Amino acid sequence: MRASTRIFASIVAAVLIAAVVAAFAIAWRPTIAAIDPPDPQSFDAALVKRGRDLAAIGNCSDCHTPRGARNFAGGLPVPTPFGTIFSTNITPDPETGIGRWSEAAFRRAMRSGVNREAQHLYPTFPYDHFTNVSDEDDRALYAFLMTRQPVRAAPRENQLSFPFDQRLAIAGWKLLFLRHDTYRPDPRQSAEWNRGAYLVEGLAHCGACHTPRNALGAERVSARFAGGDVDDWHAYAINDQSRSPVPWTADALFNYLREGWHPDHGTARGPMAKVVSNLSSVPASDVRAIAVYMASVSGTPAPGRAAPREDALARAKAASQANPVGASIYTAACSSCHEGSRPLPYGGVDLGLSTAISSPDPRNLANIVLSGIDAVEGERSPIMPGFAASMNDEQASALLNYLRARFSDQPAWTDLKKTIVEARRTQTVFLQTSPAPRNAPADPQQREKP
Amino acid sequence: MMTLKVNGREHQVDVEADTPLLYVLRDDLKLNAAKYGCGLGQCGSCTVIVDGKAVLSCVVPMVLLEGKHITTLEGLGTIAEPAPIQRAFMEEQAAQCGYCIPGMMMRAQALLQKNSKPTDEQIRAELEPHLCRCGTHMRILRAIHRAARLMDTADASPAASGSAR
């Protein structure tokens, strides 16, 4: 072997070794020692209560408690472009949950997405937001979770294709997209605004749905709150690109987030329903803070987007002439509630105020028209019948085209039929993922009491 | 003028395209089993079967029914010869005031036509859009299970038994 070749080979070897060492250094995390599950009595009750409110703000139950399943026992399939990821059991079960996690292990998972056993966690768990959560709040969340009923439920295997099934890949993802800095208050803003910013950017992780993602599934920093995708629904743009016909104010946001509806905007539904349901039970001051911050994020509406209401009548007439089938369906199926005198949430929103109809993405409207809104047990909530059984795809298209033409000043949607076919398919699947939606007592004697 | 196929018979009706089916059934065809409850598609008492699927007839306009086959409770059986679903509801005494019952029976019938042995959970989920103010829910549940058993022994889908007209 010539000297030059030898030198070249050793350089290559050195570079390779350095790369392996670097990758190891980046990816490797130590295992944190298992502890004996702490006695629930050892946690301060006030701390647990605060953790409960924080968990509601964080909407933890949405992913970690599939409908009809035991609280926080995980197992919800989360579809991603890379495959399906299942949520984990975060009850204090020592074998299948986080019962053996110390507070330090919990905090590390929140801050850097690494579990106690040192595995990198997929960013479906939104630790890219949870880096902002304070030590104090992590402690309260830990106290809350460790005092829940332990549930023995083994985590389900993720279904991911290569190379996304390699947890090492997550270390690379973090290198590219995870910023480790925590939230720093802006001294120029009010304490309320800062509280809202801390919650929105951190625990509440609003951007996880409302910010569009890049090809590698990271939120696009340049398009914050510009609208994203979640579970076959469109999460509306909530920055200055918002399509809401009436601009959002802090007061409107507060009511919407707290009560689940607002007369100028309609009702929260789809994945947002769970969010507002959770926010109805937390301190009002926190919801107010979130509203104040988000109102400042959505800022002044983009010029020319608010629909001039004067020509609404002319539009209605033109739409009915152009699309008599859609107009007839609207009259019989929609107007009885949406033009009724009953106030929200029992009456339907004036469709001229509907963000769904003014949005560039027709999925939410298709979902809601086909599947309706189910009554929520124990909640004072809106309901709407679904129309999947009474309209075929052409008829549903005719209705949606009519609604778009009559109630927005936006151009007609393209590929509407495809959206409807897809909505029919995915919403059926969505309903089927809830194996036991109603909790009937198992013993018939129990329900036969005279 | 449009043609409406109800319980196997064709009717010529002179109505607007946006008239809800329920109005035509009750006012024009005098088929009064389907009830007007809320008129908003929120109580279920107006439920009929259209092409095998349960629909709320108070929010279904005529324009959607071209060429479709509608079945109302009258099409399932008669007083002399009740259909299994009707027999089962009588045998379980599932009605109190009875206003919601035709709608309940129609959706149960549609369910049993596609799932001959539904579980309690499936029946509850399926009948979720139906309100009953009297509170005979447990009897309704029992009646639907009984109807499933009756249909199992005597073939009972209206088309097969020939009782649909």
Side-chain angles (χ1 to χ4, degrees):
Chain A
M1 202 186 281
R2 288 210 318 265
S4 60
T5 319
R6 259 203 315 274
I7 290 165
F8 181 70
S10 33
I11 288 172
V12 168
V15 166
L16 274 175
I17 289 166
V20 167
V21 168
F24 188 74
I26 290 160
W28 185 81
R29 295 288 182 280
T31 298
I32 295 181
I35 58 167
D36 288 331
D39 177 4
Q41 302 295 329
S42 66
F43 294 98
D44 174 44
L47 189 67
V48 172
K49 166 73 176 74
R50 225 161 49 75
R52 183 241 158 254
D53 290 343
L54 290 167
I57 290 171
N59 206 29
C60 309
S61 60
D62 197 16
C63 285
H64 288 284
T65 307
R67 204 169 155 195
R70 307 279 301 274
N71 283 350
F72 300 113
L76 181 85
V78 180
T80 75
F82 317 105
T84 301
I85 294 169
F86 291 90
S87 66
T88 53
N89 181 348
I90 53 169
T91 72
D93 181 64
E95 310 312 323
T96 62
I98 61 168
R100 297 194 178 281
W101 289 33
S102 61
E103 189 186 320
F106 178 76
R107 197 167 51 236
R108 181 174 74 172
M110 292 287 284
R111 285 284 158 73
S112 54
V114 175
N115 68 11
R116 188 191 66 75
E117 294 85 351
Q119 281 177 311
H120 287 278
L121 298 169
Y122 287 97
T124 20
F125 173 51
Y127 47 79
D128 50 340
H129 289 274
F130 296 164
T131 51
N132 287 320
V133 179
S134 69
D135 287 358
E136 204 189 348
D137 284 354
D138 275 341
R139 181 168 310 129
L141 284 162
Y142 178 74
F144 171 68
L145 289 173
M146 296 309 268
T147 49
R148 296 309 90 203
Q149 188 71 38
V151 177
R152 203 181 162 77
R156 294 169 70 180
E157 283 293 319
N158 296 330
Q159 294 155 3
L160 294 159
S161 50
F162 186 83
F164 305 110
D165 57 347
Q166 302 298 306
R167 288 194 182 256
L168 194 64
I170 308 170
W173 186 93
K174 287 177 181 175
L175 205 58
L176 291 171
F177 302 115
L178 184 63
R179 294 180 305 282
H180 286 278
D181 41 342
T182 55
Y183 178 71
R184 270 189 299 274
D186 181 343
R188 290 163 306 170
Q189 301 284 355
S190 69
E192 193 176 45
W193 185 96
N194 274 299
R195 173 71 181 162
Y198 165 76
L199 291 173
V200 166
E201 304 298 346
L203 199 53
H205 64 284
C206 308
C209 293
H210 287 282
T211 297
R213 293 177 182 270
N214 65 20
L216 289 172
E219 288 174 32
R220 285 169 47 205
V221 185
S222 59
R224 290 178 70 237
F225 300 119
D229 293 306
V230 52
D231 295 347
D232 303 305
W233 293 79
H234 173 61
Y236 297 128
I238 50 174
N239 58 8
D240 62 355
Q241 303 297 306
S242 162
R243 286 284 171 192
S244 166
V246 175
W248 284 96
T249 62
D251 280 343
L253 275 163
F254 173 75
N255 270 297
Y256 183 84
L257 294 172
R258 186 77 176 164
E259 310 288 340
W261 55 276
H262 186 276
D264 289 348
H265 300 278
T267 58
R269 64 211 182 257
M272 193 65 192
K274 194 70 181 279
V275 176
V276 296
S277 167
N278 273 325
L279 290 180
S280 69
S281 68
V282 307
S285 57
D286 279 345
V287 182
R288 170 70 63 186
I290 290 172
V292 164
Y293 174 68
M294 280 317 302
S296 90
V297 166
S298 59
T300 328
R305 79 156 171 85
R309 303 295 299 280
E310 309 86 68
D311 60 5
L313 274 177
R315 252 201 336 254
K317 201 169 162 204
S320 303
Q321 279 166 355
N323 184 349
V325 172
S328 292
I329 301 174
Y330 170 78
T331 303
C334 317
S335 72
S336 46
C337 285
H338 288 280
E339 289 183 28
S341 55
R342 290 200 308 173
L344 254 62
Y346 303 113
V349 70
D350 170 354
L351 292 178
L353 301 172
S354 162
T355 308
I357 293 174
S358 287
S359 278
D361 185 331
R363 275 182 303 174
N364 293 10
L365 188 62
N367 287 342
I368 213 81
V369 165
L370 293 175
S371 302
I373 304 174
D374 280 350
V376 180
E377 213 169 295
E379 266 184 32
R380 202 174 57 116
S381 61
I383 56 171
M384 176 180 140
F387 292 89
S390 53
M391 288 178 216
N392 63 26
D393 298 337
E394 282 79 18
Q395 292 161 338
S397 297
L399 174 62
L400 265 57
N401 274 324
Y402 174 79
L403 296 175
R404 177 79 161 175
R406 171 160 173 191
F407 294 108
S408 83
D409 56 358
Q410 300 297 310
W413 283 306
T414 52
D415 266 350
L416 195 51
K417 180 109 172 281
K418 211 175 112 203
T419 304
I420 287 164
V421 171
E422 190 66 7
R424 221 185 262 282
R425 195 181 63 75
T426 55
Q427 289 298 296
T428 315
V429 172
F430 184 65
L431 296 173
Q432 281 170 351
T433 53
S434 319
R438 318 269 176 270
N439 302 318
D443 175 7
Q445 292 304 317
Q446 261 184 296
R447 36 186 154 99
E448 291 303 319
K449 292 209 178 93
Chain B
M1 241 357 157
M2 80 169 268
T3 308
L4 194 63
K5 264 192 274 180
V6 184
N7 300 331
R9 267 183 61 188
E10 293 195 349
H11 301 268
Q12 298 297 316
V13 287
D14 183 16
V15 291
E16 302 289 329
D18 58 10
T19 310
L21 169 63
L22 178 67
Y23 300 8
V24 179
L25 291 176
R26 291 182 61 90
D27 298 345
D28 296 273
L29 306 184
K30 308 296 178 201
L31 293 169
N32 290 318
K35 298 286 182 280
Y36 184 101
C38 63
L40 303 168
Q42 302 198 349
C43 76
S45 68
C46 66
T47 303
V48 300
I49 295 177
V50 176
D51 284 354
K53 290 177 188 154
V55 304
L56 303 161
S57 65
C58 76
V59 287
V60 174
M62 295 299 281
V63 70
L64 294 178
L65 297 166
E66 199 74 60
K68 297 199 177 163
H69 192 123
I70 297 141
T71 308
T72 70
L73 191 62
E74 291 93 340
L76 295 186
T78 60
I79 291 176
E81 225 184 308
I85 188 81
Q86 293 165 313
R87 247 183 72 195
F89 270 68
M90 286 189 278
E91 287 169 3
E92 292 290 350
Q93 289 287 290
Q96 189 167 321
C97 90
Y99 204 80
C100 70
I101 295 294
M104 296 266 190
M105 282 201 266
M106 292 315 283
R107 194 173 298 271
Q109 175 76 24
L111 171 65
L112 293 173
Q113 279 171 209
K114 61 173 199 250
N115 176 2
S116 60
K117 287 196 182 62
T119 62
D120 240 34
E121 257 69 40
Q122 287 167 331
I123 297 174
R124 281 166 181 268
E126 187 75 16
L127 264 68
E128 205 246 312
H130 292 254
L131 303 183
C132 163
R133 298 295 293 265
C134 303
T136 61
H137 301 79
M138 296 308 154
R139 289 169 181 239
I140 291 169
L141 268 173
R142 277 207 302 268
I144 296 169
H145 284 301
R146 179 184 283 259
R149 289 194 301 274
L150 287 174
M151 289 182 184
D152 208 26
T153 46
D155 184 14
S157 73
S161 69
S163 61
R165 273 172 291 273

